[in-house]
Amino acid sequence: SIYLSIYLSIYLSITQYDFCLNNCFQKDGKPFQYVSGSIHYSRIPHYYWKDRLLKMYMAGLNAVQIYVPWNFHEEKRGVYNFSGDRDLENFLDLANQTGLLVILRPGPYICAEWEMGGLPAWLLQKPNIVLRSADTDYLEAVNTWMAVLLPKMRRWLYTNGGNIISVQVENEYGSYYTCDYNYMRHLRTLFQFFLGDDTVLFTTDGNTDREMTCGTLEGMYATIDFGTDVNISQAFSRQRRFEPRGPLVNSEFYTGWLDHWGDQHAQVDTQKVSRMLGEMLSMGASVNMYMFEGGTNFGYWNGADHDNRFRSVVTSYDYNAPLSEAGDPTEKLLAIRDTISKFRDIPVGPMPPATPKMAYGFVTLTMVWAYYSILYYQDPALFTYYGFMLYRTKLPRDLPEDTPLISPLNGVHDRAYVSVCGVFQGLLERDTTLVMNLTGKQGDQVDVLVENMGRVNFGSKINDFKGLLSNLILGKDVLTDWQIYPLDIDGAIASGWPQSGQRRSLPDPVRGPSDGPVFYQGTLTTNGLAWDTFLRLNEWTKGQVWINGVNLGRYWPKRGPQQTLYIPGPLLSPTQPNNITVLELERAPPHTRVLFMDRPQLNSTSGKTSQTTDRQT
């Protein structure tokens, strides 16, 4: 019986090893299965990276999956930024110190509900460029970017002593209309040139034959993605048809979903997530959970979708993920950790706690300035790809009665706030509000402040140009002779405006709430405790918020679902007054108060139900 036991043990080991040669990853010569979670360093302030990674490690993960947003590092062509919140190598180092392997998704396109899917807006300076194809202008830009990025990544490859175990080429290419195999071949060659032939390259595509057909290519391992509404066996059977031998991999197992303005906050059932995760792990599949922490679309980095109409993604990327937007453990995380513990040893010890939160209470904002005040701080040579543009002309004739101002070709991208002689008269909105009325006198100044609400990040409409793209018609007249001002609002506020008091012959401030775009300011005193907090703008309409010069993102409580903006504690000073600047675009409430809370509110009852999982991220 002793010899039989030894024989069976050896037989099972050989059988498992032989099976693994064909159907498992191997690491250091041994079978390897990864349990990973997606985290986006671009959506989390760098001072919290270590905290989030440690929580992922303590949940039982052995890997993290990250995107590299091209436009986050090269906002202006040829100007590269890898410092601070953009210090990718620091993030990789922290993951390595924590004991986490890395699955790298460097694009060039990432989707991710991120502005233009991570592609830089300056690519659109070539109006006829065919993105994500073998278009020569596009490939020239991609080649230049990858020649900067990939050499930085080479030393972090596992084969070179680092922690990157695999690298995705492009992203869910089968979902894109071009289906250009020459483009994918070019990327494969490019990645192999910079990373070496022994790097594990892979593709990720949705759970359809068409997507897997156009997104896969010989020499790159084909993986699939799907959520809790899919039959696991059928999905992995589809992967097996395109990749007959090798490990089963779900590269994006959806723990939650994204929100658009006007949706309700998406939620995916915790028990479904943990049950399906267990089923996949029991099959020997490697799984990446998308997202494990979502984070925040600070500034103007949110993307948008365009199916029947343009739909902008909200500021919060909470995603109903196991770690909340603020990095707090949730019941979903605990359920996932319990599931993982049935398949592999997880670290001993308590889960790191949530970061402390503070309800600082109400602050009343004062000293309001009209939107055009910012023109006194602009560089005439400035060009901007994000935020706001001001278009200015004059009324061609007297308009004593309401006269329709029309965007006949739906050329307002994305919202236009229209004033005559500084008096707000209404707005135009892409796909939904194409007509409004104006009155005034001949020669009156007409201002059209156009807001970029985020470029489309998915599908065939990612060539998403912004501003006024076609003529506006006023009655029977086509408005012409426009003066165009790109507005560097972020630059002015970061340099201290309007709190600095440098007036430069600035007009007198408005003394009370006013319709139309207006700047408000105030200060928050934290009394020695710079903790995370959440800003609620109750009864405000729509706009943008800055704290100490940092752009927190968009608010739109009237449309919802998101009602609060996340403020990381390290943005606040514990001893000095913290400057608050608000650009309200439509109308502030009479009280002009804002509220700092100790918890988020991400789902309002005014939102419309719109939860789908019919596309990838």
Side-chain angles (χ1 to χ4, degrees):
S1 60
I2 294 175
Y3 291 114
L4 180 61
S5 297
I6 295 173
Y7 171 79
L8 287 173
S9 176
I10 295 172
Y11 174 77
L12 289 172
S13 297
I14 294 173
T15 303
Q16 182 186 34
Y17 182 79
D18 181 64
F19 173 79
C20 233
L21 284 176
N22 296 328
N23 295 299
C24 290
F25 287 117
Q26 285 198 341
K27 184 170 93 54
D28 303 330
K30 297 179 181 179
F32 174 71
Q33 178 186 32
Y34 69 71
V35 188
S36 171
S38 287
I39 180 172
H40 297 161
Y41 64 92
S42 56
R43 286 182 159 120
I44 300 167
H46 67 275
Y47 29 71
Y48 278 150
W49 288 349
K50 187 172 183 178
D51 172 81
R52 309 307 195 249
L53 290 167
L54 181 59
K55 288 170 179 171
M56 296 175 79
Y57 177 77
M58 295 301 294
L61 305 188
N62 57 8
V64 295
Q65 186 194 87
I66 63 170
Y67 278 131
V68 180
W70 178 4
N71 55 9
F72 194 58
H73 296 282
E74 193 183 0
E75 287 189 60
K76 296 181 180 178
R77 186 161 196 169
V79 180
Y80 304 102
N81 187 349
F82 288 93
S83 63
D85 290 343
R86 294 167 170 81
D87 192 344
L88 172 57
E89 292 191 79
N90 181 37
F91 183 90
L92 295 173
D93 186 43
L94 290 172
N96 202 27
Q97 293 176 33
T98 309
L100 290 166
L101 300 166
V102 171
I103 300 156
L104 186 71
R105 306 174 85 181
Y109 164 85
I110 64 169
C111 185
E113 288 75 61
W114 187 262
E115 153 75 24
M116 203 169 155
L119 299 177
W122 49 258
L123 290 169
L124 300 179
Q125 288 181 331
K126 301 275 188 180
N128 297 319
I129 195 170
V130 182
L131 302 174
R132 306 180 70 193
S133 78
D135 178 288
T136 53
D137 289 327
Y138 178 67
L139 286 186
E140 179 186 3
V142 168
N143 293 345
T144 302
W145 163 239
M146 289 301 172
V148 172
L149 174 65
L150 295 182
K152 293 178 181 291
M153 298 297 97
R154 182 158 187 155
R155 76 183 187 93
W156 291 98
L157 296 174
Y158 190 79
T159 53
N160 294 332
N163 55 338
I164 295 175
I165 56 174
S166 60
V167 179
Q168 179 182 278
V169 177
E170 237 274 356
N171 182 62
E172 297 161 340
Y173 189 61
S175 303
Y176 198 57
Y177 74 96
T178 49
C179 199
D180 186 340
Y181 293 115
N182 286 332
Y183 169 54
M184 291 297 284
R185 291 188 188 99
H186 178 88
L187 289 183
R188 181 186 61 193
T189 301
L190 192 65
F191 278 53
Q192 289 173 338
F193 175 79
F194 285 111
L195 300 179
D197 293 336
D198 56 348
T199 301
V200 178
L201 302 180
F202 73 98
T203 59
T204 302
D205 283 287
N207 183 28
T208 68
D209 288 345
R210 196 271 178 190
E211 288 169 279
M212 293 293 288
T213 298
C214 286
T216 58
L217 192 69
E218 185 179 355
M220 299 183 290
Y221 193 77
T223 73
I224 199 166
D225 48 26
F226 55 87
T228 58
D229 55 349
V230 167
N231 182 288
I232 296 174
S233 296
Q234 291 178 359
F236 280 140
S237 293
R238 176 169 281 112
Q239 183 200 357
R240 184 58 75 220
R241 291 204 306 272
F242 287 87
E243 199 63 79
R245 304 171 75 177
L248 300 174
V249 179
N250 185 345
S251 286
E252 288 189 7
F253 174 53
Y254 301 114
T255 62
W257 201 245
L258 64 136
D259 294 342
H260 302 96
W261 293 112
D263 292 351
Q264 285 192 359
H265 179 49
Q267 297 190 47
V268 174
D269 183 72
T270 293
Q271 296 308 312
K272 285 185 178 180
V273 171
S274 59
R275 185 183 70 249
M276 284 190 67
L277 174 63
E279 290 176 12
M280 288 186 286
L281 295 180
S282 67
M283 298 170 67
S286 288
V287 181
N288 174 72
M289 287 167 274
Y290 191 103
M291 294 292 298
F292 209 83
E293 184 191 359
T296 308
N297 295 311
F298 293 108
Y300 309 112
W301 288 118
N302 68 278
D305 283 301
H306 198 300
D307 33 42
N308 296 324
R309 60 182 177 84
F310 177 83
R311 296 189 300 151
S312 180
V313 174
V314 304
T315 300
S316 170
Y317 200 63
D318 175 82
Y319 214 84
N320 191 225
L323 287 171
S324 73
E325 177 182 9
D328 297 338
T330 66
E331 290 185 5
K332 187 173 288 185
L333 180 138
L334 299 178
I336 287 171
R337 182 175 66 172
D338 183 61
T339 297
I340 295 172
S341 70
K342 298 173 183 176
F343 298 91
R344 61 185 304 268
D345 293 335
I346 62 173
V348 177
M351 176 66 62
T355 54
K357 309 294 189 298
M358 176 59 73
Y360 292 107
F362 286 102
V363 172
T364 299
L365 304 185
T366 57
M367 288 188 65
V368 293
W369 305 90
Y371 64 93
Y372 51 80
S373 304
I374 199 70
L375 290 176
Y376 290 76
Y377 293 86
Q378 298 308 295
D379 178 355
L382 172 80
F383 189 83
T384 184
Y385 297 103
Y386 311 108
F388 299 86
M389 298 274 287
L390 178 62
Y391 295 77
R392 177 170 284 178
T393 188
K394 295 185 181 300
L395 289 181
R397 56 187 171 86
D398 289 345
L399 303 173
E401 298 180 350
D402 284 345
T403 303
L405 177 67
I406 308 170
S407 176
L409 300 179
N410 196 21
V412 171
H413 286 198
D414 300 302
R415 282 170 66 88
Y417 307 90
V418 183
S419 302
V420 176
C421 293
V423 178
F424 182 61
Q425 301 221 2
L427 61 86
L428 299 168
E429 183 173 354
R430 180 176 180 177
D431 293 334
T432 59
T433 306
L434 306 184
V435 183
M436 57 165 287
N437 290 319
L438 286 188
T439 59
K441 297 180 180 179
Q442 183 177 358
D444 281 353
Q445 179 175 285
V446 179
D447 281 352
V448 181
L449 182 68
V450 180
E451 180 186 12
N452 168 359
M453 283 289 294
R455 289 178 179 82
V456 172
N457 59 260
F458 180 82
S460 61
K461 298 183 184 295
I462 59 174
N463 288 57
D464 192 9
F465 296 89
K466 297 300 185 180
L468 290 183
L469 306 189
S470 60
N471 290 325
L472 296 182
I473 297 177
L474 181 61
K476 298 180 180 179
D477 299 302
V478 176
L479 292 181
T480 58
D481 300 325
W482 293 98
Q483 295 175 292
I484 303 174
Y485 303 92
L487 302 182
D488 182 19
I489 298 174
D490 287 74
I493 292 175
S495 66
W497 183 87
Q499 286 86 356
S500 62
Q502 300 172 2
R503 303 198 189 279
R504 299 187 190 176
S505 302
L506 205 61
D508 290 335
V510 182
R511 294 302 176 188
S514 174
D515 287 350
V518 175
F519 287 98
Y520 294 77
Q521 69 172 36
T523 57
L524 167 68
T525 301
T526 62
N527 296 320
L529 293 175
W531 288 1
D532 286 5
T533 187
F534 300 90
L535 177 63
R536 173 152 189 174
L537 295 103
N538 192 36
E539 298 181 43
W540 295 71
T541 308
K542 184 184 189 303
Q544 206 89 15
V545 180
W546 293 258
I547 296 286
N548 292 330
V550 176
N551 192 329
L552 298 180
R554 311 174 198 276
Y555 66 89
W556 203 352
K558 186 175 181 180
R559 187 163 293 189
Q562 181 176 354
Q563 299 295 308
T564 55
L565 292 174
Y566 170 56
I567 303 175
L571 290 184
L572 301 174
S573 169
T575 57
Q576 300 296 318
N578 295 277
N579 291 328
I580 309 164
T581 305
V582 174
L583 172 57
E584 168 58 50
L585 294 165
E586 296 182 40
R587 183 165 180 80
H591 56 70
T592 68
R593 292 193 307 269
V594 297
L595 175 63
F596 291 86
M597 305 170 57
D598 60 1
R599 64 196 64 190
Q601 293 183 353
L602 297 179
N603 193 20
S604 70
T605 56
S606 60
K608 300 176 182 178
T609 302
S610 178
Q611 181 187 350
T612 60
T613 55
D614 58 352
R615 71 162 184 79
Q616 290 71 56
T617 51

